[in-house]
Amino acid sequence: MKKVITYGTFDLLHEGHYRLLERAKALGDYLIVGVTSEAYDKTRGKLNVVDSLATRIENVRKTGFADEIIVEESLGQKVQDVKKYQVDIFTVGSDWTGVFDYMKDYCEVVYLDRTKNISSTMLRIQNRRIQRIGIVGTGRIAERFVPESKLVSGVSTQGVYNPHTESAKKFADRWEIEAYEELEDFYQSVDAVYIASPHETHYDYIKSSLGHGKHVLCEKPMVLKKAQAEELFQYARAHDLILFEGIKTAYCPGFNRLLGVACSGVIGNIRNVEVCFTKLENPANRELTDSLYGGSLTELGSYVMLPVLKLLGDSCEDIRFDVIRGENGLDLFTKISLVYPNAIATATCGLGVKSEGRLLISGTKGYLVAEAPWWKTSYFEVHYEDPLKVDKYSEPFLGYGLRYELSDFLSMINGRNSSEFKLTRSESVALAGIMEKFLSAEGRGRDKAPSEGQRRDNM
Ligand code: C2G
């Protein structure tokens, strides 16, 4: 008797799972299915698992393919199971190709083709809502999004659109998803859109996605003009659609804990925020060559302004930009200085100058500090007058961190608006306002202004 084993979460059991189990069973005579426990999924960073373990086991049982169902509780259990049950073949979907090659020492390993399309017919029959996400853009961030999306239950990355069809095809092949040549076909096949195209294209893609009734998660900076942000949020709200700006820091657990501690009173009243994020970029890259929309502020400004807006709000009395420019006029290093009635802030970002990335929040009783990479907060400290007294906080930050924003986006779509506070519409509008003000001060906006090194204005 040939014994086969496979593993999975099998949450919101769908066609992809069903076909996997069907083919796994066909590989032998006896199929063992390991269903992951909730605790194990948590440790491997799988978020949002909707169905309980009992329901997931029951759904696997109902497929009729499993001869035996076991629970997978920890990393390392697979090898033990293969020995224990004298398994001949270990199989799993091709999205895991290579990962389980180490099992070849114990049995045959078969990667079965992953099912590309989770069809809407199947979802309707099951009366379940799995959001099919389509990606616009095929750059670095889109590459990171796909593996992260696999760790969020209730979404399925369906396909990708890029006007450069060759790039779309390559991307789609790599991730075993569909490539769409026509934007209309793309919209027909998805429920929500993740926009990861160049900054200046965001507005048009958001508008057309919303116009097609799709929810939108858009990479930062969402748009570069305040009025555009207001218009898009208004449209989304009027049509019951979710529009979400993807600044990963805003949704990660460590950063939210940091904000909670900073505002808890332990450091007293906040009087100063100093924040910095620099990344030395290759001078040949778009970020440092796009003379209209490149530069440090459009690239990293959303990150550094996030803690300032969260902690001090969006009504500062004065905002000023100090800039170091490269030969092509683009900002290599930008310092934003803000003055509030009872506080001040400096937010610094750079692509061509390296500095210490740090978030420092000073209060009347103490200060909170998170070192680089504070934008993926996993650790921070609170210090007081007494140098011996230090409170230390840590939180996990898993993978690229995009799973957190996607999970919150999904919960908003599903009507649980409890995460809306993490990045409010007015904060996104304020961020777009800052981009606009800066680009205009640099003489890059539509309303050109003299590009002197320094400029003062109201936010
Ligand atoms: N799958 C598939 N087609 C899809 C989606 C999933 O063939 N469209 C496959 C996966 O490759 C996996 C199985 O269905 O083999 C279960 O998928 P998940 O429930 O997402 O579980 P996963 O996280 O892949 O667990 O120890 C756990 C296992 O390593 C894999």
Side-chain angles (χ1 to χ4, degrees):
M1 186 169 72
K2 211 179 226 184
K3 277 193 176 179
V4 182
I5 197 161
T6 190
Y7 296 85
T9 306
F10 303 104
D11 193 29
L12 301 169
L13 195 109
H14 57 65
E15 198 171 351
H17 299 139
Y18 186 90
R19 294 202 53 233
L20 186 285
L21 294 173
E22 186 179 30
R23 287 170 295 154
K25 169 76 180 176
L27 289 173
D29 309 301
Y30 188 85
L31 177 65
I32 304 171
V33 181
V35 180
T36 55
S37 71
E38 275 129 21
Y40 179 45
D41 273 331
K42 251 183 213 139
T43 62
R44 64 189 193 118
K46 192 149 189 171
L47 300 183
N48 269 23
V49 176
V50 178
D51 290 337
S52 68
L53 175 60
T55 306
R56 291 182 285 122
I57 290 176
E58 181 56 14
N59 287 341
V60 168
R61 195 192 57 76
K62 278 196 212 146
T63 65
F65 298 122
D67 296 288
E68 189 171 346
I69 299 176
I70 59 171
V71 177
E72 185 184 24
E73 307 204 61
S74 62
L75 184 75
Q77 187 184 319
K78 289 185 176 83
V79 171
Q80 298 302 102
D81 287 342
V82 165
K83 290 182 190 163
K84 181 169 157 190
Y85 297 100
Q86 297 178 328
V87 167
D88 301 288
I89 301 176
F90 166 87
T91 187
V92 69
S94 54
D95 42 332
W96 292 97
T97 299
V99 175
F100 295 109
D101 284 357
Y102 69 90
M103 299 283 291
K104 286 180 184 166
D105 289 347
Y106 310 95
C107 62
E108 191 184 334
V109 174
V110 176
Y111 296 104
L112 290 168
D113 280 349
R114 191 181 164 276
T115 304
K116 262 194 185 173
N117 289 321
I118 306 298
S119 80
S120 42
T121 332
M122 181 76 176
L123 298 179
R124 262 199 307 280
I125 291 167
Q126 293 170 322
N127 196 20
R128 301 219 196 244
R129 290 300 295 148
I130 291 180
Q131 295 294 325
R132 293 163 306 159
I133 305 229
I135 304 175
V136 174
T138 52
R140 199 169 41 196
I141 190 83
E143 288 287 350
R144 293 176 171 186
F145 183 83
V146 187
E148 288 279 310
S149 70
K150 292 203 181 122
L151 294 158
V152 179
S153 259
V155 297
S156 153
T157 301
Q158 191 76 8
V160 65
Y161 172 79
N162 184 333
H164 307 288
T165 47
E166 261 321 295
S167 307
K169 275 188 193 135
K170 276 190 194 145
F171 185 94
D173 283 350
R174 227 174 5 261
W175 293 109
E176 303 182 323
I177 56 176
E178 289 293 319
Y180 295 89
E181 288 191 14
E182 297 297 328
L183 207 42
E184 285 300 320
D185 296 340
F186 170 80
Y187 288 135
Q188 290 302 317
S189 317
V190 303
D191 305 302
V193 178
Y194 171 60
I195 298 173
S197 52
H199 312 322
E200 70 278 12
T201 63
H202 289 179
Y203 173 77
D204 285 339
Y205 281 128
I206 298 173
K207 203 168 170 174
S208 82
S209 301
L210 293 174
H212 283 81
K214 309 300 165 188
H215 303 291
V216 176
L217 169 62
C218 182
E219 262 308 315
K220 51 90 205 155
M222 188 178 86
V223 285
L224 302 168
K225 283 186 180 359
K226 191 174 175 181
Q228 290 181 340
E230 283 167 340
E231 175 205 326
L232 295 171
F233 277 125
Q234 223 162 35
Y235 184 93
R237 186 168 252 181
H239 293 81
D240 248 349
L241 293 167
I242 302 299
L243 170 58
F244 225 54
E245 179 168 13
I247 305 178
K248 65 171 186 275
T249 313
Y251 306 97
C252 80
F255 184 72
N256 280 286
R257 183 130 185 245
L258 178 153
L259 293 178
V261 172
C263 298
S264 70
V266 292
I267 60 166
N269 297 319
I270 297 170
R271 296 289 185 240
N272 183 37
V273 177
E274 281 171 41
V275 50
C276 179
F277 184 175
T278 64
K279 180 174 85 180
L280 284 185
E281 192 62 66
N282 179 342
N285 282 0
R286 175 191 56 81
E287 289 85 345
L288 284 177
T289 52
D290 179 349
S291 59
L292 278 177
Y293 303 105
S296 59
L297 191 108
T298 49
E299 192 57 27
L300 299 175
S302 315
Y303 287 118
V304 292
M305 278 307 300
L306 179 70
V308 177
L309 289 174
K310 288 282 179 228
L311 295 163
L312 302 177
D314 59 8
S315 33
C316 69
E317 291 171 342
D318 191 43
I319 179 167
R320 153 192 168 137
F321 304 101
D322 291 295
V323 185
I324 305 291
R325 294 186 193 80
E327 277 171 18
N328 62 2
L330 282 180
D331 53 306
L332 294 176
F333 190 72
T334 302
K335 189 171 271 192
I336 314 169
S337 307
L338 303 103
V339 178
Y340 288 81
N342 281 310
I344 50 176
T346 51
T348 308
C349 50
L351 293 178
V353 175
K354 193 65 195 166
S355 189
E356 186 168 4
R358 169 185 279 181
L359 168 57
L360 174 65
I361 306 162
S362 312
T364 50
K365 292 184 182 164
Y367 67 88
L368 186 157
V369 63
E371 302 293 347
W374 62 264
W375 48 94
K376 301 188 210 168
T377 318
S378 58
Y379 179 77
F380 62 91
E381 293 181 352
V382 177
H383 293 249
Y384 304 90
E385 181 59 23
D386 175 359
L388 295 178
K389 181 170 152 54
V390 181
D391 298 332
K392 299 175 178 179
Y393 297 85
S394 52
E395 280 287 332
F397 179 92
L398 298 166
Y400 297 118
L402 297 172
R403 66 192 71 178
Y404 303 114
E405 68 185 43
L406 181 56
S407 156
D408 281 327
F409 176 57
L410 186 69
S411 74
M412 295 278 291
I413 293 175
N414 292 334
R416 297 188 300 274
N417 293 1
S418 53
S419 53
E420 197 173 352
F421 73 96
K422 291 182 187 165
L423 184 63
T424 64
R425 294 183 184 94
S426 57
E427 284 159 355
S428 272
V429 168
L431 284 168
I434 289 165
M435 298 288 157
E436 178 172 11
K437 208 167 281 294
F438 177 76
L439 290 178
S440 148
E442 289 290 287
R444 289 197 260 153
R446 211 165 13 128
D447 323 302
K448 288 198 190 268
S451 61
E452 75 266 33
Q454 294 184 346
R455 193 185 140 94
R456 284 176 172 276
D457 215 332
N458 287 324
M459 198 188 274

